């Protein structure tokens, strides 16, 4: 397998030999060993990005493989305009485009390629693409169908009037795929609690298409005007490429919802978006500064009336090893006065062979409200099945229920979150 590490003189792949590319054009790339910026001609085809000195070259300079779990996002706090990052298991690539629309186009196309690559690894994609036709993915069963199928597997969302109607009303406020530019991606996620009694649903896509749908939905369900104004204000300061909405459904614990920005951003902007009156956000800021954490990769806001308004900020844990990341997470749990992750669960993590833990990394999700800390979660990426089984045994839940749900909707587990709460709504 060839990866983009230095020049690959022994591989002759002329630009002209790549038929029907998904995207091509000139970008400026930061070197690996020599940290200089050079203009290169890039060609995206499938889950590979080839780059050359010019559009006429016969030999590639390098090749980026978008293997799972890869990520692409706009670079926060960059000195270069229109810079974005491709984070792969083998290396992190920094590039910038000549214009912001061109950067957005590259991010959208690469996001689709990553989504296809991830789904193919999980066995959910066919190998043929439908070029020129906008669709959620090029699978036999689209993510929209899978989301609807997931709801059908949950008894209380099929018969319970409140949660069921709320879910359907939220679903109707997702734009049709035809409203998105060809090549853009729509990301769908469903998260289940270990006891399969609580499900969180997330959808995100381009801000310029989806933002108004989100505002309309929350306005119609009676969200306070102050919260909608807060969304507009934060959106103006962060200006995310993508925006998402989420709802939380449970048979016995009510419903909740809100918006989120699934994008890299300076941590200072994410903190500024949270409620500033309480001590919790100040403690979080001080802890992050002490550990030299400068960026967040997601910010989520709750807009429900049943609980205090709350803001979740997700950060990647620094550290060159799994052990360093675990130790920093333990420090955060203690600093913010949460009970630690149970020792038997932590023992599973310490011996787990979590792929790419140093490159992709464990993450921390911290939720605050004006009343204090609400929740903290340690997010472990792409856990092995045997490790998940052990974790479920540790917390006394039946892993087969999750496996059955996973098999019926034909998706894989992207992460497991180990959570401690201060109050139930967090």
């Amino acid at each position: 397998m060839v990866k983009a590490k230095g020049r690959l003189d022994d591989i002759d792949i002329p630009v002209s030999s790549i038929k029907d590319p998904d995207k091509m054009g000139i970008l400026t790339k930061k070197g690996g060993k020599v940290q200089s910026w050079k203009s290169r001609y890039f060609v995206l085809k499938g889950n590979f990005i080839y780059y050359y000195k010019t559009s006429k070259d016969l030999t590639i300079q390098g090749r980026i493989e978008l293997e799972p779990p890869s990520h692409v996002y706009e670079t926060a706090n960059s000195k270069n305009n229109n810079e974005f990052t491709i984070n792969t298991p083998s290396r992190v690539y920094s590039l910038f485009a000549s214009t912001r629309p061109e950067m957005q186009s590259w991010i959208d196309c690469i996001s689709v390629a990553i989504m296809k690559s991830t789904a193919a690894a999980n066995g959910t994609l066919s190998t043929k693409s439908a070029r020129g036709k906008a669709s959620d993915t090029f699978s036999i069963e689209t993510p929209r169908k899978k989301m609807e199928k997931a709801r059908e597997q949950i008894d209380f969302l099929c018969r319970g009037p409140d949660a069921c109607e709320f879910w359907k009303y939220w679903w109707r406020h997702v734009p049709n795929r035809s409203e998105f530019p060809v090549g853009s991606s729509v990301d769908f996620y469903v998260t289940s609690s270990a006891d399969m009694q609580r499900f969180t649903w997330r959808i995100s896509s381009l801000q310029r298409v989806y933002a108004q749908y989100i505002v309309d939905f929350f306005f119609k369900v009676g969200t306070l005007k102050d919260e909608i104004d807060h969304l507009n204000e934060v959106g103006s300061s962060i200006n995310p490429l993508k925006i998402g909405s989420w709802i939380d459904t449970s048979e016995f614990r009510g419903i909740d919802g809100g918006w989120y920005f699934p994008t890299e951003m300076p941590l200072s902007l994410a903190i500024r978006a949270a409620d500033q009156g309480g001590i919790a956000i100040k403690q979080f800021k001080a802890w992050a500064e002490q550990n030299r954490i400068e960026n967040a990769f997601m910010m989520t806001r709750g807009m429900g009336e049943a609980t205090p308004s709350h803001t979740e900020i997700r950060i990647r844990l620094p550290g060159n090893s799994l052990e360093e990341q675990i130790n920093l997470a333990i420090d955060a749990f203690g600093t913010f006065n949460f009970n630690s992750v149970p020792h038997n669960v932590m023992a599973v993590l310490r011996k787990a062979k979590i792929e790419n833990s140093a490159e992709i990394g464990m993450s921390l999700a911290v939720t605050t409200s004006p009343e204090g800390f609400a929740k903290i979660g340690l997010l472990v990426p792409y856990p092995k099945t045997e490790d998940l089984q052990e974790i479920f045994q540790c917390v006394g839940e039946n892993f087969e229920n999750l496996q059955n749900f996973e098999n019926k909707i034909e998706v894989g587990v992207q992460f497991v979150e180990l959570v401690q709460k201060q109050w139930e709504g967090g």
Side-chain angles (χ1 to χ4, degrees):
M1 181 180 296
V2 180
K3 300 192 178 170
K5 292 186 177 181
R7 183 172 176 176
L8 306 174
D9 291 310
D10 57 331
I11 299 181
D12 295 327
I13 305 178
V15 175
S16 59
S17 71
I18 304 176
K19 305 301 182 184
D20 296 325
D22 301 307
K23 174 77 178 171
M24 55 184 155
I26 296 173
L27 295 169
T28 302
K29 172 183 168 295
K30 188 176 183 179
K33 294 181 180 179
V34 180
Q35 301 282 293
S36 59
W37 293 89
K38 294 182 179 179
S39 177
R40 292 287 183 259
Y41 188 79
F42 286 78
V43 182
L44 170 63
K45 175 68 174 179
N47 65 323
F48 289 100
I49 304 175
Y50 306 89
Y51 55 92
Y52 304 79
K53 283 187 176 181
T54 74
S55 62
K56 306 295 185 183
D57 281 4
L58 301 177
T59 303
I60 67 175
Q61 292 288 301
R63 185 170 78 172
I64 303 170
E65 183 176 1
L66 302 173
E67 58 183 326
S70 294
H71 305 275
V72 60
Y73 47 84
E74 182 177 355
T75 308
N77 267 351
S78 172
K79 295 180 181 179
N80 301 308
N81 292 327
N82 314 315
E83 183 177 339
F84 63 100
T85 299
I86 304 174
N87 192 332
T88 76
S90 60
R91 181 179 154 188
V92 176
Y93 298 85
S94 298
L95 311 102
F96 67 84
S98 58
T99 66
R100 184 167 182 82
E102 182 66 3
M103 178 201 70
Q104 291 176 337
S105 177
W106 273 105
I107 290 176
D108 289 345
C109 290
I110 293 171
S111 295
V112 171
I114 291 172
M115 179 173 62
K116 291 168 61 180
S117 176
T118 302
N122 292 332
T124 61
L125 279 183
S126 65
T127 57
K128 296 182 180 179
S129 64
R131 283 190 55 78
K133 181 180 179 182
S135 61
D136 297 301
T137 111
F138 303 100
S139 62
I140 297 172
E141 193 166 42
T142 69
R144 289 174 188 257
K145 294 288 186 183
K146 289 179 184 294
M147 287 283 274
E148 292 171 351
K149 195 173 183 180
R151 183 190 67 83
E152 292 168 359
Q153 307 305 315
I154 303 166
D155 186 53
F156 70 84
L157 282 180
C158 295
R159 58 173 173 76
D162 293 339
C164 180
E165 290 306 311
F166 186 70
W167 191 97
K168 289 180 178 178
Y169 192 64
W170 171 73
W171 190 245
R172 287 198 293 271
H173 284 78
V174 179
N176 293 324
R177 190 62 185 88
S178 60
E179 297 180 56
F180 293 95
V182 173
S184 63
S185 64
V186 184
D187 301 321
F188 299 81
Y189 296 92
V190 58
T191 307
S192 168
S193 59
D195 62 5
M196 304 290 288
Q197 294 300 309
R198 186 172 185 167
F199 293 83
T200 302
W201 312 79
R202 291 178 180 263
I203 298 177
S204 67
S205 194
L206 295 177
Q207 177 194 174
R208 62 181 183 269
V209 177
Y210 195 22
Q212 191 58 52
Y213 282 87
I214 294 174
V215 171
D216 290 346
F217 169 73
F218 285 108
F219 180 79
K220 290 175 181 178
V221 297
T223 301
L224 296 175
K225 182 177 181 297
D226 287 349
E227 279 296 332
I228 295 177
D229 291 342
H230 188 68
L231 165 59
N232 291 326
E233 180 183 341
V234 174
S236 296
S237 64
I238 295 178
N239 191 25
L241 179 65
K242 286 189 171 185
I243 186 173
S245 68
W246 64 273
I247 60 170
D248 193 84
T249 55
S250 162
E251 184 168 16
F252 304 111
R253 288 171 283 189
I255 51 182
D256 197 5
W259 50 267
Y260 68 104
F261 294 160
T263 186
E264 288 281 325
M265 69 193 82
L267 183 58
S268 58
L269 287 182
I271 288 175
R272 199 181 307 164
D275 296 286
Q276 300 298 306
I279 190 66
I281 196 66
K282 296 178 182 177
Q283 288 181 326
F284 173 62
K285 179 181 178 182
W287 179 87
E289 289 176 348
Q290 179 183 347
N291 290 285
R292 299 180 180 178
I293 299 171
E294 298 179 348
N295 293 316
F297 69 90
M298 183 183 291
M299 188 195 69
T300 300
R301 179 78 174 178
M303 300 177 75
E305 295 182 357
T307 60
S309 58
H310 51 282
T311 304
E312 180 194 85
I313 298 174
R314 293 189 181 185
I315 56 173
R316 294 185 177 87
L317 289 170
N320 296 318
S321 67
L322 179 66
E323 188 67 24
E324 287 184 19
Q325 293 173 351
I326 288 176
N327 289 338
L328 188 56
I330 291 173
D331 178 73
F333 275 67
T335 300
F336 306 146
N337 295 317
F338 287 91
N339 293 327
S340 185
V341 175
H343 292 296
N344 54 354
V345 175
M346 198 59 78
V348 175
L349 293 186
R350 291 187 187 279
K351 70 179 181 62
K353 294 180 179 179
I354 299 170
E355 294 182 353
N356 309 308
S357 60
E359 292 89 351
I360 302 301
M362 287 187 171
S363 305
L364 200 67
V366 179
T367 305
T368 63
S369 80
E371 299 181 359
F373 286 101
K375 183 180 75 172
I376 189 170
L378 175 60
L379 284 77
V380 182
Y382 299 94
K384 300 287 189 183
T385 299
E386 56 266 30
D387 297 325
L388 273 176
Q389 287 177 316
E390 283 197 61
I391 290 172
F392 270 66
Q393 288 176 358
C394 291
V395 298
E397 297 295 345
N398 188 345
F399 181 63
E400 288 185 3
N401 292 337
L402 177 66
Q403 275 192 312
N404 291 336
F405 181 71
E406 180 184 346
N407 292 334
K408 285 178 181 177
I409 63 176
E410 299 177 319
V411 298
V413 176
Q414 188 179 50
F415 67 87
V416 60
E417 182 177 9
L418 309 171
V419 175
Q420 295 288 5
K421 299 179 180 181
Q422 300 287 22
W423 42 266
E424 185 54 46

